[in-house]
Amino acid sequence: KEYWITIITPVYNAEEYIEKTIDSVIKSKTEGIEYIVIDGQSDDMTRDIIEKHRTVIDYYVSEKDNGIYDALNKGILNAHGKYIMMLAAGDYLLDGALTTVRDIISDDIDVFCGTIIHHSDIGYQYIPSEMELEKLYLYCSLRHPASIFKKQQFEKYGYYSPEYKCAGDREIFLRWYKLGAKFKIENIPITLFESGNGISTANPAKHLIPEDVKISRLYNVSDEMIAGQKKRVMSDAFPPLWKKVIRKILINTKVYRPLMKISKRNTRFVKKDDLIRYGIQGE
C-alpha cells in the first residue's frame, strides 16, 4: 500500500515519553499516514507500551541498532510513504499539522521544513526553521523534528550517517543542500519538542560539539568560524553560576519572558488558545 507520508519513531528506553508520542500520531492518523516504530531493543517498559498500541502501528521491530540514525534508516527502507517524517520519542505531532503541510507542499520539493514549539521552563515558544540555508555550514539552522523528506531522494542524496550520535540531522541537511536538493521553508508549527529529552541537550560537550566540528571540517568551514560557533554553544550550554541564578530569579518573578520579547524581537511565545488548537495541554 502506498501512503502520502510515513512517520518514523526511533526509540530506546523511553517509557516516560513514548506513549505521548504514539498518542499524538493516533490523533492525526488517516489512511494516508503510515506509522513505523523502530525500537533499539529497550529493556524498560517501552516495548510493553508499544505492544499496547500495536494495532495502529503499521510496522514495528525491536532489535539492536547503531543509534538513532541507524534506526531511522531502517524505518526509511521499510516505508511506503511518498514523504518521510521523523518523530522522536518524547516529541508530539501537533493536531492538524500534516493536513496543513499536505495542502501546500508541491511535488518538486525534496525537503519541507517547518516550525517546532519548544517547551522549556519559560513556557512554550515558537522556534522556526531559518530561511538562509547557508547557515547550515555553521550550525543546524533547520528544525529536524518539523521536517519532511521526499522518500525517493534518499537514493539520490544519501541516507543518514550512523556514525553520528546527535548531529546527523545537520549533516544530512547540509549534504542534501550541497548536492542540489530543493528546500521549502514555511513558518508552520508541526511538532512539540520537550526541552532536555534529546542526547544533544543532555551533554552538548560529549557529542554535539565534537560532531558539529567534524561536520564543519568535512564541509571545509574555516577553523576561525568553527572556534566561534563552538564558543557560542559552550556559553549557552554551560553559563556561569551568576547567570543561572539571575535567570531563575527573573523566571520566578515572571520578568524573564517580557525581557526576552524586548531583547530578542523574533521571540514568539505560544498563546493559550493556540496550545489548545494544537492539542497541547499547556499553561
Side-chain angles (χ1 to χ4, degrees), residues 209 225-238:
I209 293 174
M225 295 176 76
I226 291 173
Q229 181 58 17
K230 181 178 177 181
K231 184 178 179 180
R232 284 190 290 273
V233 173
M234 290 293 288
S235 177
D236 290 340
F238 303 104

Side-chain angles (χ1 to χ4, degrees), residues 95-211:
D95 290 1
L98 293 185
T99 301
T100 303
V101 173
R102 187 172 187 175
D103 287 343
I104 65 171
I105 195 170
S106 56
D107 195 56
D108 62 331
I109 300 301
D110 297 319
V111 187
F112 180 96
C113 300
T115 293
I116 64 171
I117 293 177
H118 180 208
H119 183 210
S120 67
D121 56 356
I122 60 173
Y124 294 82
Q125 181 183 351
Y126 290 109
I127 309 290
S129 295
E130 300 178 45
M131 297 295 294
E132 303 86 351
L133 293 173
E134 286 287 318
K135 289 184 177 179
L136 288 168
Y137 284 101
L138 288 177
Y139 58 92
C140 194
S141 57
L142 303 175
R143 308 301 157 222
H144 190 246
S147 296
I148 294 167
F149 297 75
K150 183 179 280 188
K151 181 178 184 280
Q152 69 180 38
Q153 299 301 69
F154 282 96
E155 291 293 332
K156 181 176 181 180
Y157 300 122
Y159 290 74
Y160 289 90
S161 179
E163 67 181 284
Y164 299 104
K165 296 296 182 184
C166 62
D169 49 353
R170 178 190 168 208
E171 195 280 327
I172 198 170
F173 281 139
L174 186 51
R175 176 169 16 107
W176 281 38
Y177 170 56
K178 189 172 182 181
L179 291 175
K182 185 171 181 180
F183 287 72
K184 185 176 182 64
I185 316 296
E186 292 282 352
N187 190 7
I188 295 175
I190 297 176
T191 307
L192 170 68
F193 174 79
E194 295 280 356
S195 183
N197 286 348
I199 187 173
S200 61
T201 54
N203 189 349
K206 183 177 181 180
H207 293 296
L208 179 60
I209 293 174
E211 289 186 4

